Amino acid sequence: MPSLNTLLLVLQAATLPAFKQEVVRDVASRAQFTQQMVDQIFSYAELGFQETETSRYLVDLLRKNGFTVREGIAGIPTAWVATWGSGKPVISLGSDIDDIPQASQKPGVACHAPLIEGAPGHGEGHNSGQAVNITAALAVKKIMEREHLPGTLQIWPGVAEELVGTKAYFVREGLFRDVDIVLFSHVDDNLATSWGDIAGNGLVSVLFSFQGRSAHAAGAPWRGRSALDAVELMDIGWNFRREHLRLQQRSHYVIPNGGDQPNVVPPTASVWYYLRELDYPHIQEMFALADTIAHGAAMMTSTTLLPDRILGSAWPGHFNRVIAEAMYENIKQVGLPQWSEADQRLAHALQRDIGAPDSGLATRLDTLRPALKPNERTGGGSDDIGDVSWNVPTVTLRFPSNIPGLPGHNWANAISMATPIAHKGATAGAKVMAMTVLDLLMRPEFITRAWDYFRNVQTKDITYQPLIRAQDRPAIELNRDVMAKFRPQMRQFYYNPAKYRTYLEQLGITYPTERSADGSCGSGATP
């Protein structure tokens, strides 16, 4: 005779399809709630580590909806974790919240039209992911309360993802120690997920600083020792060595401190590198090589190389096959949003304006991308969700709120992110996320199989070792000066949902707005 637990599992499996239909309807009924979150965070437009308005808004919203929120996670003022429920399983939902420097852009305008010249903006679309997760969580929470389903929902933000600055610290803090599954959400131009190794790289973000000696640059330059010379020689050395690095590597730098003024030999200077490779050993090899070149630059200039500082890091991600396959079944049930003629007009107009393929918005679902073969991993971008993925079974849901063919990390990627395209895409993503959470709550075999894949396939021959060191701390001062400069101007453009139904309405933007026949660009956007 079957046990009581077996009978309960059979009963739950029988009711799961009905519960999925219920959360799909529930998420659809919350479309305006989702839209307001998308638009509100878009209007805050905050850079990494400075997401104060965004975090306060989300923390207040979650507390209002019954979640317990702990702030200041891992010593990061804008990091927090929200929980509701009790017991197992613990399902953790994460999404990034920061934006891109100099990506300010009027939404719904298919050409370059900054709200504030030079200000940051959501030029990737991180304003949309928390709306996906929170809407989904509230729909599932409603069923859990009514049906007395055990389990804990956890929600957290990817702070400073563009700086790959925090998730390794979340892991070190133990944020995921008791978590069963992590479901991450990220903006895309289709509704998709994948499993296995990601196509991109891991990285270490490092600041190299030199100490020299100042002198009058014209009156007594021989008495000076230029730290800027050391920075420039390091960059020259790296660029020559780059020819002899693996094809999979990506490396790039900026000079945040090149001295004070031309008539003073710079006594201090710094260069900031992102060193990207496919795996931990190759990342460490690049780091060691950069350190060698930095020492050489110091020797050539008679300057001192100061201790380096790790500003961020990311392991290359690996996503769980079992959960990705379950999520994709839900993706097929939800399907892509029904794009309006106005949505497609905006997409086509922007694609033509920037010289991208004139394909419009996606109308066919992506397939479930299987694990990449070694020769298919050619390098690319990074995301510190990789660190999480090597500590707990993880998948990323990509949802369609952006326009295909855009350059990424650019004002163009912000254009759709407070329009019906983003609103519909986030609602579609929330439906898939809610259905997948229900799968995990009501079919415990998914979690058992996911951990079997994690232990016996993913981590069978690879052990996670953080790229951050014991002495490293989050670089919470980054972007402080930029936000202090622009925030007073940006406040006049914060979304007011009590007065306006949408952000487009508040800005007075006709949707969609295309470049005028005379070549001019812009529409509305008066505070």
mmCIF file of all heavy atoms in Angstrom, residues 225-269:
data_model
loop_
_atom_site.group_PDB
_atom_site.id
_atom_site.type_symbol
_atom_site.label_atom_id
_atom_site.label_comp_id
_atom_site.label_asym_id
_atom_site.label_seq_id
_atom_site.Cartn_x
_atom_site.Cartn_y
_atom_site.Cartn_z
ATOM 1 N N ARG A 225 59.347 61.204 -11.263
ATOM 2 C CA ARG A 225 59.204 59.808 -11.687
ATOM 3 C C ARG A 225 57.723 59.608 -11.972
ATOM 4 O O ARG A 225 56.889 59.589 -11.056
ATOM 5 C CB ARG A 225 59.682 58.841 -10.595
ATOM 6 C CG ARG A 225 61.159 58.967 -10.269
ATOM 7 C CD ARG A 225 62.030 58.524 -11.448
ATOM 8 N NE ARG A 225 63.459 58.663 -11.132
ATOM 9 C CZ ARG A 225 64.204 59.719 -11.435
ATOM 10 N NH1 ARG A 225 63.650 60.765 -12.045
ATOM 11 N NH2 ARG A 225 65.480 59.748 -11.119
ATOM 12 N N SER A 226 57.366 59.472 -13.238
ATOM 13 C CA SER A 226 55.973 59.532 -13.661
ATOM 14 C C SER A 226 55.254 58.199 -13.490
ATOM 15 O O SER A 226 55.569 57.208 -14.171
ATOM 16 C CB SER A 226 55.878 59.968 -15.119
ATOM 17 O OG SER A 226 54.536 59.889 -15.556
ATOM 18 N N ALA A 227 54.256 58.200 -12.607
ATOM 19 C CA ALA A 227 53.404 57.024 -12.474
ATOM 20 C C ALA A 227 52.577 56.803 -13.731
ATOM 21 O O ALA A 227 52.252 55.658 -14.085
ATOM 22 C CB ALA A 227 52.493 57.182 -11.254
ATOM 23 N N LEU A 228 52.248 57.891 -14.442
ATOM 24 C CA LEU A 228 51.513 57.742 -15.697
ATOM 25 C C LEU A 228 52.361 57.044 -16.746
ATOM 26 O O LEU A 228 51.843 56.244 -17.535
ATOM 27 C CB LEU A 228 51.062 59.110 -16.206
ATOM 28 C CG LEU A 228 50.311 59.114 -17.543
ATOM 29 C CD1 LEU A 228 49.056 58.253 -17.473
ATOM 30 C CD2 LEU A 228 49.961 60.541 -17.950
ATOM 31 N N ASP A 229 53.669 57.328 -16.776
ATOM 32 C CA ASP A 229 54.545 56.595 -17.692
ATOM 33 C C ASP A 229 54.454 55.096 -17.437
ATOM 34 O O ASP A 229 54.420 54.285 -18.377
ATOM 35 C CB ASP A 229 56.001 57.056 -17.527
ATOM 36 C CG ASP A 229 56.252 58.436 -18.105
ATOM 37 O OD1 ASP A 229 55.349 58.987 -18.763
ATOM 38 O OD2 ASP A 229 57.358 58.955 -17.883
ATOM 39 N N ALA A 230 54.414 54.730 -16.151
ATOM 40 C CA ALA A 230 54.324 53.303 -15.813
ATOM 41 C C ALA A 230 53.018 52.705 -16.326
ATOM 42 O O ALA A 230 52.998 51.597 -16.889
ATOM 43 C CB ALA A 230 54.440 53.123 -14.309
ATOM 44 N N VAL A 231 51.911 53.444 -16.153
ATOM 45 C CA VAL A 231 50.623 52.970 -16.659
ATOM 46 C C VAL A 231 50.677 52.787 -18.172
ATOM 47 O O VAL A 231 50.241 51.755 -18.708
ATOM 48 C CB VAL A 231 49.504 53.953 -16.265
ATOM 49 C CG1 VAL A 231 48.259 53.732 -17.117
ATOM 50 C CG2 VAL A 231 49.157 53.804 -14.793
ATOM 51 N N GLU A 232 51.204 53.776 -18.870
ATOM 52 C CA GLU A 232 51.233 53.693 -20.333
ATOM 53 C C GLU A 232 52.149 52.573 -20.809
ATOM 54 O O GLU A 232 51.824 51.864 -21.782
ATOM 55 C CB GLU A 232 51.683 55.034 -20.910
ATOM 56 C CG GLU A 232 50.644 56.133 -20.697
ATOM 57 C CD GLU A 232 51.025 57.435 -21.361
ATOM 58 O OE1 GLU A 232 52.039 58.024 -20.966
ATOM 59 O OE2 GLU A 232 50.301 57.839 -22.285
ATOM 60 N N LEU A 233 53.269 52.377 -20.144
ATOM 61 C CA LEU A 233 54.169 51.285 -20.536
ATOM 62 C C LEU A 233 53.546 49.923 -20.229
ATOM 63 O O LEU A 233 53.722 48.967 -21.000
ATOM 64 C CB LEU A 233 55.514 51.435 -19.836
ATOM 65 C CG LEU A 233 56.408 52.537 -20.411
ATOM 66 C CD1 LEU A 233 57.578 52.828 -19.479
ATOM 67 C CD2 LEU A 233 56.926 52.143 -21.799
ATOM 68 N N MET A 234 52.790 49.827 -19.140
ATOM 69 C CA MET A 234 52.078 48.575 -18.866
ATOM 70 C C MET A 234 51.079 48.276 -19.975
ATOM 71 O O MET A 234 50.978 47.143 -20.460
ATOM 72 C CB MET A 234 51.361 48.632 -17.527
ATOM 73 C CG MET A 234 50.600 47.334 -17.231
ATOM 74 S SD MET A 234 49.696 47.315 -15.696
ATOM 75 C CE MET A 234 48.979 45.651 -15.829
ATOM 76 N N ASP A 235 50.334 49.305 -20.387
ATOM 77 C CA ASP A 235 49.340 49.101 -21.438
ATOM 78 C C ASP A 235 50.000 48.720 -22.761
ATOM 79 O O ASP A 235 49.500 47.853 -23.497
ATOM 80 C CB ASP A 235 48.503 50.368 -21.615
ATOM 81 C CG ASP A 235 47.631 50.659 -20.404
ATOM 82 O OD1 ASP A 235 47.422 49.745 -19.584
ATOM 83 O OD2 ASP A 235 47.160 51.803 -20.276
ATOM 84 N N ILE A 236 51.124 49.358 -23.073
ATOM 85 C CA ILE A 236 51.856 49.005 -24.293
ATOM 86 C C ILE A 236 52.335 47.558 -24.222
ATOM 87 O O ILE A 236 52.186 46.776 -25.172
ATOM 88 C CB ILE A 236 53.042 49.961 -24.510
ATOM 89 C CG1 ILE A 236 52.536 51.361 -24.887
ATOM 90 C CG2 ILE A 236 53.971 49.435 -25.610
ATOM 91 C CD1 ILE A 236 53.610 52.422 -24.839
ATOM 92 N N GLY A 237 52.896 47.181 -23.066
ATOM 93 C CA GLY A 237 53.361 45.804 -22.897
ATOM 94 C C GLY A 237 52.246 44.797 -23.042
ATOM 95 O O GLY A 237 52.403 43.760 -23.695
ATOM 96 N N TRP A 238 51.080 45.115 -22.429
ATOM 97 C CA TRP A 238 49.944 44.190 -22.531
ATOM 98 C C TRP A 238 49.460 44.085 -23.968
ATOM 99 O O TRP A 238 49.158 42.988 -24.448
ATOM 100 C CB TRP A 238 48.801 44.629 -21.623
ATOM 101 C CG TRP A 238 47.701 43.604 -21.633
ATOM 102 C CD1 TRP A 238 46.580 43.615 -22.389
ATOM 103 C CD2 TRP A 238 47.687 42.378 -20.897
ATOM 104 N NE1 TRP A 238 45.840 42.480 -22.168
ATOM 105 C CE2 TRP A 238 46.499 41.697 -21.258
ATOM 106 C CE3 TRP A 238 48.553 41.795 -19.972
ATOM 107 C CZ2 TRP A 238 46.164 40.467 -20.707
ATOM 108 C CZ3 TRP A 238 48.211 40.564 -19.431
ATOM 109 C CH2 TRP A 238 47.036 39.912 -19.802
ATOM 110 N N ASN A 239 49.387 45.204 -24.659
ATOM 111 C CA ASN A 239 48.878 45.175 -26.026
ATOM 112 C C ASN A 239 49.795 44.402 -26.966
ATOM 113 O O ASN A 239 49.322 43.731 -27.897
ATOM 114 C CB ASN A 239 48.652 46.599 -26.533
ATOM 115 C CG ASN A 239 47.432 47.240 -25.894
ATOM 116 O OD1 ASN A 239 46.482 46.553 -25.540
ATOM 117 N ND2 ASN A 239 47.460 48.552 -25.725
ATOM 118 N N PHE A 240 51.116 44.478 -26.750
ATOM 119 C CA PHE A 240 52.018 43.650 -27.550
ATOM 120 C C PHE A 240 51.873 42.174 -27.180
ATOM 121 O O PHE A 240 51.909 41.302 -28.055
ATOM 122 C CB PHE A 240 53.469 44.100 -27.362
ATOM 123 C CG PHE A 240 53.875 45.212 -28.288
ATOM 124 C CD1 PHE A 240 53.927 46.532 -27.858
ATOM 125 C CD2 PHE A 240 54.194 44.952 -29.622
ATOM 126 C CE1 PHE A 240 54.286 47.566 -28.715
ATOM 127 C CE2 PHE A 240 54.557 45.969 -30.486
ATOM 128 C CZ PHE A 240 54.609 47.285 -30.030
ATOM 129 N N ARG A 241 51.704 41.873 -25.906
ATOM 130 C CA ARG A 241 51.584 40.485 -25.477
ATOM 131 C C ARG A 241 50.251 39.876 -25.900
ATOM 132 O O ARG A 241 50.144 38.656 -26.089
ATOM 133 C CB ARG A 241 51.736 40.400 -23.954
ATOM 134 C CG ARG A 241 51.797 38.975 -23.413
ATOM 135 C CD ARG A 241 52.990 38.197 -23.987
ATOM 136 N NE ARG A 241 53.008 36.837 -23.529
ATOM 137 C CZ ARG A 241 53.688 36.406 -22.467
ATOM 138 N NH1 ARG A 241 54.417 37.270 -21.763
ATOM 139 N NH2 ARG A 241 53.655 35.150 -22.118
ATOM 140 N N ARG A 242 49.241 40.736 -26.086
ATOM 141 C CA ARG A 242 47.907 40.246 -26.437
ATOM 142 C C ARG A 242 47.928 39.370 -27.692
ATOM 143 O O ARG A 242 47.155 38.421 -27.827
ATOM 144 C CB ARG A 242 46.975 41.452 -26.657
ATOM 145 C CG ARG A 242 45.494 41.133 -26.690
ATOM 146 C CD ARG A 242 44.718 42.306 -27.271
ATOM 147 N NE ARG A 242 44.977 43.548 -26.588
ATOM 148 C CZ ARG A 242 44.234 44.041 -25.595
ATOM 149 N NH1 ARG A 242 43.192 43.375 -25.167
ATOM 150 N NH2 ARG A 242 44.521 45.217 -25.052
ATOM 151 N N GLU A 243 48.823 39.682 -28.629
ATOM 152 C CA GLU A 243 48.950 38.881 -29.859
ATOM 153 C C GLU A 243 49.263 37.425 -29.561
ATOM 154 O O GLU A 243 48.926 36.531 -30.345
ATOM 155 C CB GLU A 243 50.049 39.483 -30.737
ATOM 156 C CG GLU A 243 50.299 38.705 -32.035
ATOM 157 C CD GLU A 243 51.488 39.238 -32.812
ATOM 158 O OE1 GLU A 243 52.085 40.244 -32.359
ATOM 159 O OE2 GLU A 243 51.812 38.652 -33.852
ATOM 160 N N HIS A 244 49.877 37.176 -28.411
ATOM 161 C CA HIS A 244 50.349 35.833 -28.085
ATOM 162 C C HIS A 244 49.526 35.171 -26.983
ATOM 163 O O HIS A 244 49.985 34.225 -26.354
ATOM 164 C CB HIS A 244 51.830 35.907 -27.686
ATOM 165 C CG HIS A 244 52.660 36.628 -28.700
ATOM 166 N ND1 HIS A 244 52.969 36.086 -29.933
ATOM 167 C CD2 HIS A 244 53.200 37.871 -28.690
ATOM 168 C CE1 HIS A 244 53.688 36.960 -30.628
ATOM 169 N NE2 HIS A 244 53.835 38.049 -29.891
ATOM 170 N N LEU A 245 48.305 35.679 -26.787
ATOM 171 C CA LEU A 245 47.377 35.056 -25.857
ATOM 172 C C LEU A 245 46.382 34.197 -26.632
ATOM 173 O O LEU A 245 46.220 34.337 -27.838
ATOM 174 C CB LEU A 245 46.634 36.126 -25.054
ATOM 175 C CG LEU A 245 47.499 37.054 -24.197
ATOM 176 C CD1 LEU A 245 46.626 38.097 -23.509
ATOM 177 C CD2 LEU A 245 48.308 36.276 -23.172
ATOM 178 N N ARG A 246 45.694 33.330 -25.903
ATOM 179 C CA ARG A 246 44.723 32.448 -26.548
ATOM 180 C C ARG A 246 43.597 33.243 -27.194
ATOM 181 O O ARG A 246 43.241 34.334 -26.746
ATOM 182 C CB ARG A 246 44.120 31.490 -25.511
ATOM 183 C CG ARG A 246 45.108 30.507 -24.982
ATOM 184 C CD ARG A 246 44.560 29.485 -24.004
ATOM 185 N NE ARG A 246 43.188 29.601 -23.598
ATOM 186 C CZ ARG A 246 42.337 28.565 -23.524
ATOM 187 N NH1 ARG A 246 42.723 27.358 -23.889
ATOM 188 N NH2 ARG A 246 41.113 28.729 -23.081
ATOM 189 N N LEU A 247 43.016 32.678 -28.249
ATOM 190 C CA LEU A 247 41.922 33.344 -28.948
ATOM 191 C C LEU A 247 40.722 33.559 -28.031
ATOM 192 O O LEU A 247 39.940 34.486 -28.222
ATOM 193 C CB LEU A 247 41.494 32.522 -30.164
ATOM 194 C CG LEU A 247 42.512 32.387 -31.296
ATOM 195 C CD1 LEU A 247 41.970 31.466 -32.377
ATOM 196 C CD2 LEU A 247 42.841 33.754 -31.881
ATOM 197 N N GLN A 248 40.562 32.698 -27.019
ATOM 198 C CA GLN A 248 39.390 32.786 -26.151
ATOM 199 C C GLN A 248 39.454 33.954 -25.169
ATOM 200 O O GLN A 248 38.457 34.303 -24.560
ATOM 201 C CB GLN A 248 39.238 31.480 -25.347
ATOM 202 C CG GLN A 248 38.938 30.261 -26.207
ATOM 203 C CD GLN A 248 40.198 29.537 -26.642
ATOM 204 O OE1 GLN A 248 41.272 30.132 -26.728
ATOM 205 N NE2 GLN A 248 40.077 28.246 -26.916
ATOM 206 N N GLN A 249 40.630 34.559 -24.994
ATOM 207 C CA GLN A 249 40.748 35.632 -24.010
ATOM 208 C C GLN A 249 40.093 36.915 -24.516
ATOM 209 O O GLN A 249 39.990 37.167 -25.707
ATOM 210 C CB GLN A 249 42.222 35.882 -23.660
ATOM 211 C CG GLN A 249 43.036 36.591 -24.745
ATOM 212 C CD GLN A 249 42.956 38.104 -24.697
ATOM 213 O OE1 GLN A 249 42.759 38.706 -23.643
ATOM 214 N NE2 GLN A 249 43.105 38.750 -25.849
ATOM 215 N N ARG A 250 39.642 37.723 -23.580
ATOM 216 C CA ARG A 250 39.217 39.099 -23.841
ATOM 217 C C ARG A 250 39.837 39.942 -22.736
ATOM 218 O O ARG A 250 39.754 39.590 -21.551
ATOM 219 C CB ARG A 250 37.690 39.255 -23.775
ATOM 220 C CG ARG A 250 36.915 38.383 -24.757
ATOM 221 C CD ARG A 250 37.044 38.874 -26.200
ATOM 222 N NE ARG A 250 36.113 38.184 -27.064
ATOM 223 C CZ ARG A 250 36.305 36.975 -27.587
ATOM 224 N NH1 ARG A 250 37.426 36.313 -27.307
ATOM 225 N NH2 ARG A 250 35.399 36.420 -28.366
ATOM 226 N N SER A 251 40.447 41.054 -23.092
ATOM 227 C CA SER A 251 41.049 41.923 -22.083
ATOM 228 C C SER A 251 40.927 43.364 -22.549
ATOM 229 O O SER A 251 41.095 43.662 -23.726
ATOM 230 C CB SER A 251 42.513 41.553 -21.841
ATOM 231 O OG SER A 251 43.242 41.459 -23.047
ATOM 232 N N HIS A 252 40.649 44.247 -21.608
ATOM 233 C CA HIS A 252 40.442 45.653 -21.924
ATOM 234 C C HIS A 252 40.661 46.467 -20.666
ATOM 235 O O HIS A 252 40.606 45.948 -19.548
ATOM 236 C CB HIS A 252 39.034 45.901 -22.496
ATOM 237 C CG HIS A 252 38.060 44.799 -22.228
ATOM 238 N ND1 HIS A 252 37.801 43.798 -23.129
ATOM 239 C CD2 HIS A 252 37.311 44.506 -21.148
ATOM 240 C CE1 HIS A 252 36.924 42.953 -22.621
ATOM 241 N NE2 HIS A 252 36.606 43.360 -21.412
ATOM 242 N N TYR A 253 40.907 47.766 -20.854
ATOM 243 C CA TYR A 253 41.264 48.589 -19.705
ATOM 244 C C TYR A 253 40.815 50.027 -19.905
ATOM 245 O O TYR A 253 40.539 50.476 -21.014
ATOM 246 C CB TYR A 253 42.785 48.552 -19.483
ATOM 247 C CG TYR A 253 43.609 48.989 -20.671
ATOM 248 C CD1 TYR A 253 43.886 50.336 -20.906
ATOM 249 C CD2 TYR A 253 44.125 48.049 -21.575
ATOM 250 C CE1 TYR A 253 44.635 50.734 -21.994
ATOM 251 C CE2 TYR A 253 44.870 48.438 -22.660
ATOM 252 C CZ TYR A 253 45.129 49.788 -22.875
ATOM 253 O OH TYR A 253 45.868 50.190 -23.959
ATOM 254 N N VAL A 254 40.764 50.747 -18.769
ATOM 255 C CA VAL A 254 40.598 52.197 -18.767
ATOM 256 C C VAL A 254 41.598 52.754 -17.756
ATOM 257 O O VAL A 254 42.093 52.029 -16.882
ATOM 258 C CB VAL A 254 39.167 52.641 -18.381
ATOM 259 C CG1 VAL A 254 38.167 52.168 -19.418
ATOM 260 C CG2 VAL A 254 38.790 52.140 -16.992
ATOM 261 N N ILE A 255 41.901 54.054 -17.884
ATOM 262 C CA ILE A 255 42.824 54.716 -16.966
ATOM 263 C C ILE A 255 42.010 55.669 -16.092
ATOM 264 O O ILE A 255 41.710 56.800 -16.496
ATOM 265 C CB ILE A 255 43.924 55.479 -17.733
ATOM 266 C CG1 ILE A 255 44.706 54.501 -18.616
ATOM 267 C CG2 ILE A 255 44.865 56.197 -16.759
ATOM 268 C CD1 ILE A 255 45.724 55.186 -19.525
ATOM 269 N N PRO A 256 41.581 55.227 -14.900
ATOM 270 C CA PRO A 256 40.762 56.097 -14.047
ATOM 271 C C PRO A 256 41.543 57.227 -13.400
ATOM 272 O O PRO A 256 40.959 58.236 -13.003
ATOM 273 C CB PRO A 256 40.210 55.132 -12.988
ATOM 274 C CG PRO A 256 41.198 54.025 -12.928
ATOM 275 C CD PRO A 256 41.747 53.884 -14.315
ATOM 276 N N ASN A 257 42.872 57.073 -13.284
ATOM 277 C CA ASN A 257 43.706 58.117 -12.709
ATOM 278 C C ASN A 257 44.969 58.246 -13.544
ATOM 279 O O ASN A 257 45.833 57.377 -13.502
ATOM 280 C CB ASN A 257 44.062 57.799 -11.251
ATOM 281 C CG ASN A 257 45.078 58.771 -10.665
ATOM 282 O OD1 ASN A 257 45.256 59.879 -11.178
ATOM 283 N ND2 ASN A 257 45.744 58.362 -9.597
ATOM 284 N N GLY A 258 45.046 59.345 -14.312
ATOM 285 C CA GLY A 258 46.227 59.573 -15.146
ATOM 286 C C GLY A 258 47.027 60.787 -14.736
ATOM 287 O O GLY A 258 47.844 61.289 -15.511
ATOM 288 N N GLY A 259 46.802 61.252 -13.520
ATOM 289 C CA GLY A 259 47.496 62.439 -13.059
ATOM 290 C C GLY A 259 46.539 63.584 -12.828
ATOM 291 O O GLY A 259 45.318 63.454 -13.019
ATOM 292 N N ASP A 260 47.097 64.718 -12.417
ATOM 293 C CA ASP A 260 46.265 65.860 -12.043
ATOM 294 C C ASP A 260 46.210 66.943 -13.114
ATOM 295 O O ASP A 260 45.146 67.389 -13.513
ATOM 296 C CB ASP A 260 46.787 66.457 -10.733
ATOM 297 C CG ASP A 260 46.743 65.440 -9.597
ATOM 298 O OD1 ASP A 260 45.637 64.960 -9.297
ATOM 299 O OD2 ASP A 260 47.811 65.112 -9.044
ATOM 300 N N GLN A 261 47.384 67.399 -13.577
ATOM 301 C CA GLN A 261 47.434 68.435 -14.612
ATOM 302 C C GLN A 261 48.785 68.330 -15.318
ATOM 303 O O GLN A 261 49.763 67.812 -14.749
ATOM 304 C CB GLN A 261 47.227 69.820 -13.999
ATOM 305 C CG GLN A 261 48.203 70.202 -12.910
ATOM 306 C CD GLN A 261 47.765 71.444 -12.150
ATOM 307 O OE1 GLN A 261 46.649 71.479 -11.610
ATOM 308 N NE2 GLN A 261 48.626 72.454 -12.121
ATOM 309 N N PRO A 262 48.879 68.803 -16.575
ATOM 310 C CA PRO A 262 50.060 68.533 -17.390
ATOM 311 C C PRO A 262 51.372 69.099 -16.845
ATOM 312 O O PRO A 262 52.445 68.545 -17.156
ATOM 313 C CB PRO A 262 49.712 69.169 -18.741
ATOM 314 C CG PRO A 262 48.228 69.168 -18.784
ATOM 315 C CD PRO A 262 47.788 69.408 -17.380
ATOM 316 N N ASN A 263 51.329 70.155 -16.064
ATOM 317 C CA ASN A 263 52.599 70.746 -15.628
ATOM 318 C C ASN A 263 53.149 70.117 -14.359
ATOM 319 O O ASN A 263 54.144 70.587 -13.812
ATOM 320 C CB ASN A 263 52.450 72.264 -15.438
ATOM 321 C CG ASN A 263 51.492 72.606 -14.310
ATOM 322 O OD1 ASN A 263 50.556 71.858 -14.033
ATOM 323 N ND2 ASN A 263 51.725 73.748 -13.660
ATOM 324 N N VAL A 264 52.505 69.046 -13.891
ATOM 325 C CA VAL A 264 53.000 68.313 -12.727
ATOM 326 C C VAL A 264 53.248 66.866 -13.134
ATOM 327 O O VAL A 264 52.334 66.190 -13.626
ATOM 328 C CB VAL A 264 51.989 68.358 -11.561
ATOM 329 C CG1 VAL A 264 52.515 67.558 -10.372
ATOM 330 C CG2 VAL A 264 51.690 69.795 -11.162
ATOM 331 N N VAL A 265 54.476 66.408 -12.970
ATOM 332 C CA VAL A 265 54.768 64.994 -13.225
ATOM 333 C C VAL A 265 53.868 64.158 -12.307
ATOM 334 O O VAL A 265 53.891 64.337 -11.081
ATOM 335 C CB VAL A 265 56.248 64.677 -12.958
ATOM 336 C CG1 VAL A 265 56.493 63.163 -13.074
ATOM 337 C CG2 VAL A 265 57.141 65.434 -13.919
ATOM 338 N N PRO A 266 53.031 63.255 -12.868
ATOM 339 C CA PRO A 266 52.052 62.527 -12.055
ATOM 340 C C PRO A 266 52.713 61.603 -11.029
ATOM 341 O O PRO A 266 53.394 60.641 -11.415
ATOM 342 C CB PRO A 266 51.255 61.720 -13.076
ATOM 343 C CG PRO A 266 51.444 62.422 -14.373
ATOM 344 C CD PRO A 266 52.838 62.973 -14.316
ATOM 345 N N PRO A 267 52.516 61.877 -9.747
ATOM 346 C CA PRO A 267 53.106 60.994 -8.740
ATOM 347 C C PRO A 267 52.289 59.726 -8.502
ATOM 348 O O PRO A 267 52.789 58.756 -7.925
ATOM 349 C CB PRO A 267 53.122 61.871 -7.487
ATOM 350 C CG PRO A 267 51.953 62.791 -7.673
ATOM 351 C CD PRO A 267 51.873 63.060 -9.147
ATOM 352 N N THR A 268 51.034 59.741 -8.912
ATOM 353 C CA THR A 268 50.188 58.550 -8.789
ATOM 354 C C THR A 268 49.407 58.360 -10.086
ATOM 355 O O THR A 268 49.029 59.339 -10.746
ATOM 356 C CB THR A 268 49.182 58.672 -7.628
ATOM 357 O OG1 THR A 268 48.352 59.818 -7.844
ATOM 358 C CG2 THR A 268 49.907 58.810 -6.287
ATOM 359 N N ALA A 269 49.153 57.126 -10.448
ATOM 360 C CA ALA A 269 48.327 56.791 -11.612
ATOM 361 C C ALA A 269 47.875 55.341 -11.478
ATOM 362 O O ALA A 269 48.539 54.523 -10.823
ATOM 363 C CB ALA A 269 49.085 56.999 -12.921
#
